């Protein structure tokens, strides 16, 4: 199980990356379920999709047949609680930084990046196995970029008995990239009153048209202000803008 501190850390991160995607939840769920139903797994594999926009696991496969866990138990906190206690801190750092990278992509597409990591996970009988997890972007939209990821995990216990975590990340066009703190490149400045209003409304899921009505301005003006903020604060997209604002307590 996750410690209270790590549980709070996980939920704090998920609250910062939560957003309302342009696609309907029903549409995203149907696409996820169709993909998982069609996915063929070996007996030593399990797979899952994480909807990052709301911090859920909408669909998964193999947790019952391979790991021994009932389907209804599987959620994000439960999954993180299966990590070996010695691996939790490093895995949480790697995963959140990989998500930060995914959100930094200006025009991502499904399966355009690859994240591989090996770690230990607990089966229902209490034993630990070594798995290799391969993850990539699954669903995206033009406003936020990355919406969800898909991961496939394979038991590699008999070919890798090393306890160390190993990882490899490749960005667009298969090029390796180094994980870095995106926020370190930003110069912290206070928002103007209008900027704070704009970002607050975006974070609450308001559309451009709704924001314009709320602020008493035009849709074109809202779009211009948003683009100016991205340029001013050296951010790639609207999601990064909201995430950075929340991270620095600007809204």
């Amino acid at each position: 199980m996750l410690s209270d501190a790590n549980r709070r850390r996980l939920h704090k991160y998920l609250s910062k990356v939560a957003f309302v995607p342009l696609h309907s939840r029903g549409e995203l769920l149907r696409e996820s379920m169709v993909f998982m139903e069609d996915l063929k797994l070996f007996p030593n594999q399990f797979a899952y999709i994480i909807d990052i926009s709301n911090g859920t696991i909408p669909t998964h496969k193999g947790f019952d047949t391979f790991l021994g866990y009932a389907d209804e138990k599987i959620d994000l906190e439960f999954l993180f609680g299966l990590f070996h206690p010695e691996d939790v801190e490093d895995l949480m750092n790697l995963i959140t930084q990989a998500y930060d990278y995914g959100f930094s992509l200006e025009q991502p597409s499904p399966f355009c990046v690859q994240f591989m990591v090996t770690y230990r996970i607990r089966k229902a009988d209490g034993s630990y196995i070594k798995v290799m997890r391969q993850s990539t972007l699954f669903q995206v939209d033009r406003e936020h970029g990355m919406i969800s990821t898909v991961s496939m995990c394979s038991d590699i216990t008999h070919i890798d008995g090393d306890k160390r975590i190993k990882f490899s990340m490749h960005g667009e066009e298969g090029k390796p990239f180094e994980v870095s703190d995106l926020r370190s490149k930003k110069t912290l400045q206070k928002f103007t009153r209008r900027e704070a209003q704009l970002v607050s409304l975006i974070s609450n899921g308001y559309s451009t048209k709704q924001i314009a009505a709320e602020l008493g301005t035009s849709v074109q003006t809202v779009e211009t202000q948003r683009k100016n903020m991205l340029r001013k604060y050296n951010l790639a997209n609207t999601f990064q803008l909201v995430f950075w604002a929340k991270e620095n307590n600007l809204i």
Side-chain angles (χ1 to χ4, degrees), residues 36 41 43 45-47 60-69 71:
M36 197 59 68
L41 296 178
Q45 294 179 317
F46 61 98
H60 53 80
K61 199 170 193 175
F63 280 84
D64 53 350
T65 56
F66 177 51
L67 294 179
Y69 296 108
D71 286 342

Side-chain angles (χ1 to χ4, degrees), residues 13 16-17 52 92-106 144 146 169 177 179-184 186 236-237 239-240 243-244 247:
Y13 183 81
K16 288 177 179 176
V17 300
I52 303 167
M92 291 185 75
N93 286 333
L94 284 171
I95 291 170
T96 55
Q97 290 184 77
Y99 283 167
D100 285 354
Y101 173 81
F103 282 121
S104 76
L105 300 173
E106 294 189 30
H144 301 93
M146 180 173 63
M169 303 186 219
F177 67 86
V179 175
S180 61
D181 184 355
L182 299 172
R183 295 181 299 276
S184 66
K186 314 296 181 284
N237 51 48
F239 176 83
Q240 271 197 32
F243 180 86
W244 179 68
E247 183 71 8

Side-chain angles (χ1 to χ4, degrees), residues 80-203:
F80 275 64
L82 300 180
F83 299 158
H84 193 286
E86 294 176 0
D87 296 346
V88 171
E89 289 294 328
D90 287 338
L91 278 173
M92 291 185 75
N93 286 333
L94 284 171
I95 291 170
T96 55
Q97 290 184 77
Y99 283 167
D100 285 354
Y101 173 81
F103 282 121
S104 76
L105 300 173
E106 294 189 30
Q107 293 183 314
S109 57
F111 307 99
C112 72
V113 299
Q114 184 181 46
F115 172 44
M116 293 184 291
V117 60
T118 65
Y119 58 93
R120 292 169 290 175
I121 194 168
R122 188 179 69 252
K123 298 182 71 172
D125 63 9
S127 64
Y128 281 93
I129 59 172
K130 186 77 173 285
V131 298
M132 179 179 70
R133 168 182 144 180
Q134 296 176 279
S135 303
T136 188
L137 276 64
F138 179 59
Q139 293 161 321
V140 299
D141 69 29
R142 68 178 184 275
E143 180 70 21
H144 301 93
M146 180 173 63
I147 298 176
S148 65
T149 61
V150 59
S151 297
M152 181 181 293
C153 302
S154 304
D155 183 2
I156 58 170
T157 306
H158 298 297
I159 59 174
D160 184 2
D162 195 329
K163 294 181 180 180
R164 293 176 300 169
I165 291 175
K166 302 168 187 174
F167 66 95
S168 172
M169 303 186 219
H170 290 76
E172 294 175 289
E173 301 178 354
K175 296 177 181 178
F177 67 86
E178 295 183 5
V179 175
S180 61
D181 184 355
L182 299 172
R183 295 181 299 276
S184 66
K185 299 177 182 178
K186 314 296 181 284
T187 301
L188 185 60
Q189 306 175 47
K190 288 191 71 173
F191 282 162
T192 65
R193 179 171 172 274
R194 177 49 65 93
E195 287 176 340
Q197 289 176 319
L198 179 63
V199 178
S200 179
L201 290 170
I202 292 173
S203 72

